[in-house]
Amino acid sequence: MKIIHIPSFLLFAAVAVSCSHTKRIDNGDLHIEIDESMHWRVASQAETQGPLSGAFMPQGVVTADEAVLADFRIVRKQTAGQSHELTGICETDDIRVEKRLRITVDPGFPDMALVETRYVNQGRPLTIRSVTQNDFAVESDSLVWSFQPSSTSARQDWILPVRPGFEQQNYLGMNNSDYGGGIPMVTLWRRDCGISAGLRERTLQMISMPVAWPEQSTRPTAGLRRDFKEGLPFGTGDTLKLDRSFVAVHRGDFYAPLRQFSRYMQQHEGFRPAESEPGAFEPVWCAWGYERMFTLDEVIGTLPKAAQLGFKWVDVDDGFQIAEGDWEPNARFPGGDRDMRRLTDAIHAHGLKAKLWWAPLAADPGTRILREHPEMQLITEEGTPEFITWWDSYYLSPVNPSTAHYTAGLVDRFIDKWNFDGLKLDGQHLNCCMPDHNPHSGLTHPDVAVEQFPTFFKAIFERARALKPDAVIQLCPCGCAMNFFNLPYMNQAVASDPTSSWQIRLKGKVYKAIAPQLAYYADHVELSDGGIDFPSQLGIGGVVGSKFTWPRNNPHVKADYRLTPDKEKLYSKWLTLYNEKMLSTGDYLNLYDIAWDKPETHVIGKEGRIYYAFYAENWSGGEIVLRGLDPACIYTVTEYAADGRTYTVEGCRPTIAPVFEGSYLIEVAPVRTPETNNH
């Protein structure tokens, strides 16, 4: 978003003869109507429960100290191919502002419209406090579902029910000392259809995506808003160009518009999710069960059991370092570099790969690195270092040249000198940062630190892969909705400290929408419901993982993660299933609405077979339709996670009636000869 200065003699050049009648723009299921006040109504061909949006509402509002500008009388309409341009005027007394709205549709992206907005001040100077765009509402009796992928210390679900009284701002900048960033798209949907709005800029913009349902209203609203805390001067002759945006309608949940948005960004804006190495799909044992006081002997002693169970990776976690920032081995590793190399040699000797935990950009007070290089710190508007509450550390500037040089040296140490095969980059602070006012960072504007934040991970990714071309780089923004623009610089996503099995599944569906071929690590199974919910990890197409300890716990740890004989049988079963099926390498099939369809269902297609995963606290025999089957075929259904019982189902009558608690996983394979149907 920027202010452009235009000579005053051009101010009225766009004004033409006034037009009449409502403007309609169509693309697939999407129907947009714009009235003579430049208010709009977004509709969908999929509406079956009444109008999706109902009444017209302002497409965007400018709130200034002097006035609120929402109604713009249309004075010009132009259409050129798939591009529709409308110009309107808002004037009262000595205030006169022109709005230029361009809406473009592309048949290659059905159900979606691209929006560009400019405001030209043709009257007295104004001080703008906020601007909104692509505001929309969804008519509903009592409930809609929402996709709100922003990040705060609450670590909320990204998919939430919205009812009267709900309000959430969804700011994509820093919301708490450690939390910020997210995905620049917001969605509201009913059972029949929904609406999404988002930005299509190439860098993260510090906008809000507010969702609200006032108590006395009949509908929730959402949209995009940018606030100007200090006020944005909007002088006579100035043009305010808003961020490039989009609006889309869709059937089902958020998956389709998020997939469409990602596909658009890849084709038109240079967004390229990294391709995952085959190794990124292999199961992970993490030493974090021993926590920060782990010993070399504890990790090495667990390797035979991890290999026996079928794990392929060993993540060496937090606790090896002197401090955040001073990433040399601490006193528990008296051999220093030799001990770290002894650890990776032992891991490799068991046929396993080694990944090292690291919290880059964090440096503890009093560390050597801060004493020697204080110029690396990120400095806030108040002139103080930004503090990372979780680590009790200071934030290093992600765009500071000294930070870049120091970080490259650490990657060389970890990958080359210590011989690790990958890195686990950890911490919610890795999702966003405050604007950087440090003059040593050499920025043209403090906000550049936020926009260019992903380049820090680009440097790590490229350096590690130059040293080991098959290196796996995991980025774990603990509890955060991933900064969308970090995705090209990691080849393993992660559930990042999920608080429930629901979060494991919903985060998995989000990553499958953005980057279908990206490995999704479902994190430690101990973080799932009951600590043993392998079905949620497997059924969503996630990479399974655990932080079990064996044969005993570290004495400094309060929680008990020991692998008991009963757990060992369970782990062995699920690791065997995972390694046999490798559903994480299959294709996610968006056949069910994650919120409205019951039971909750996820589907993976692989090698001609379809794998259904159903989830419910208790399902007592209600019929379930197996979507996606060929009506002309007969299928064998195998309860592969239970006792292997099989039965058949006809594609023309694809219903089953299982009884289960928690989950029900089945493999559905076409039968060659209909005579084998015994259903």
Side-chain angles (χ1 to χ4, degrees), residues 88 121 186 256-257 282 306 324 363 377 449 458 463 602:
N121 190 356
V186 63
E282 295 175 332
E324 280 78 44
Q377 294 182 90
K458 180 177 186 289
R463 186 88 172 195
H602 300 274

Side-chain angles (χ1 to χ4, degrees), residues 32 256 370 618:
I32 296 176
L370 285 185
N618 190 302

Side-chain angles (χ1 to χ4, degrees), residues 117 122 222 239 300 304 359 362 365 370 406 419 422 425 457 461 479 587 597 621 644:
T117 308
Q122 298 177 344
T239 293
I300 292 176
L370 285 185
Y406 156 72
N419 201 25
L425 312 181
F457 302 101
F461 187 77
D587 298 318
D597 285 330

Side-chain angles (χ1 to χ4, degrees), residues 179-307:
Y179 293 85
I183 301 167
M185 189 190 90
V186 63
T187 302
L188 297 178
W189 78 93
R190 307 185 311 203
R191 189 181 296 274
D192 57 341
C193 55
I195 308 176
S196 297
L199 293 189
R200 48 194 177 90
E201 294 291 337
R202 293 192 172 195
T203 58
L204 184 71
Q205 301 298 308
M206 291 181 288
I207 64 161
S208 297
M209 306 183 299
V211 174
W213 193 340
E215 287 282 2
Q216 305 306 317
S217 175
T218 61
R219 57 184 187 167
T221 61
L224 313 174
R225 187 185 73 223
R226 188 185 281 266
D227 295 304
F228 304 97
K229 182 175 63 173
E230 305 301 326
L232 177 68
F234 191 35
T236 303
D238 286 352
T239 293
L240 176 62
K241 181 181 179 182
L242 304 192
D243 300 309
R244 294 176 302 137
S245 62
F246 71 91
V247 64
V249 297
H250 45 92
R251 305 172 191 230
D253 60 31
F254 68 91
Y255 182 97
L258 185 57
R259 182 81 202 96
Q260 181 95 305
F261 166 53
S262 177
R263 193 167 64 88
Y264 175 86
M265 294 295 287
Q266 291 178 54
Q267 289 190 21
H268 295 283
E269 302 299 338
F271 176 75
R272 296 285 185 273
E275 294 185 9
S276 288
E277 287 294 325
F281 296 94
E282 295 175 332
V284 180
W285 173 70
C286 181
W288 181 238
Y290 297 114
E291 297 190 2
R292 288 190 177 91
M293 297 300 291
F294 78 88
T295 67
L296 199 61
D297 289 341
E298 285 173 335
V299 178
I300 292 176
T302 312
L303 298 179
K305 185 58 67 176

Side-chain angles (χ1 to χ4, degrees), residues 280-289 306 309-315 355 424 474 492-495 498 504 520-528 531-538 540-549 561 563 567 570-571 574-575 578-579 584:
F281 296 94
E282 295 175 332
V284 180
W285 173 70
C286 181
W288 181 238
L309 288 171
F311 290 99
K312 306 296 184 183
W313 280 88
V314 173
D315 284 4
K355 193 184 307 128
K424 172 185 176 180
Q474 178 195 118
Q492 187 180 68
V494 60
I504 292 171
Y520 171 63
Y521 173 42
D523 218 323
H524 314 140
V525 72
E526 291 81 6
L527 296 172
S528 66
I532 53 172
D533 188 6
F534 282 105
S536 280
Q537 296 194 323
L538 193 71
I540 191 62
V543 177
V544 301
S546 172
K547 58 178 178 178
F548 75 85
T549 59
Y561 298 117
L563 188 70
K567 275 190 175 181
L570 184 71
Y571 281 42
W574 286 102
L575 265 294
Y578 177 80
N579 287 323
S584 59

